[in-house]
Amino acid sequence: GWKPPSRMGLYACHSQGGSQYWQFDKKTSEIKQSQNYVHCLDAVSDSQIQIANCHGQGGNQKWTLTKVGELKVGDNCLDHDSTFLKLSPCNGSPNQRWQWGFVFQHPVD
């Protein structure tokens, strides 16, 4: 299994939950891995997004979810190159639009 920090890749959905379920925490603006809520999406650099321990300090773990489904850190959007997640200048492309829905309805503390 993986241990943080680990680079974020893209994989086919397996519908078994675990590492593929993520939650946008509206209170902290963090994207938390829903298995245990202690691992967050972390923008290490423009070229690398990783899973890291949540630190609660904002910065590279503070995301903004826009009305059109973009996830932003600063002026850049979460993007992908079909293999890994990355940050890119926001340009409205489909690779930068993310959908969120309810799978489990329990709050993050």
Side-chain angles (χ1 to χ4, degrees), residues 10-15 20:
L10 297 178
Y11 300 93
C13 295
H14 55 53
S15 301
Q20 291 191 346

Side-chain angles (χ1 to χ4, degrees), residues 11-103:
Y11 300 93
C13 295
H14 55 53
S15 301
Q16 297 176 10
S19 63
Q20 291 191 346
Y21 285 156
W22 293 81
Q23 183 166 351
F24 183 80
D25 186 330
K26 290 182 182 179
K27 286 190 254 180
T28 64
S29 296
E30 294 169 322
I31 299 174
K32 296 182 176 181
Q33 203 273 328
S34 298
Q35 200 167 23
N36 54 26
Y37 304 112
V38 298
H39 299 129
C40 284
L41 211 58
D42 191 304
V44 178
S45 67
D46 289 352
S47 62
Q48 187 172 339
I49 303 294
Q50 69 181 16
I51 303 168
N53 291 326
C54 300
H55 55 58
Q57 302 297 310
N60 55 335
Q61 292 184 358
K62 184 176 182 177
W63 297 85
T64 301
L65 178 60
T66 70
K67 291 181 182 182
V68 297
E70 297 164 325
L71 289 165
K72 296 175 70 171
V73 169
D75 294 328
N76 290 316
C77 284
L78 184 64
D79 200 342
H80 67 87
D81 62 10
S82 298
T83 304
F84 291 104
L85 295 180
K86 63 181 182 175
L87 285 180
S88 297
C90 298
N91 60 24
S93 78
N95 283 3
Q96 296 180 352
R97 297 197 180 202
W98 304 88
Q99 294 180 346
W100 294 86
F102 288 100
V103 176

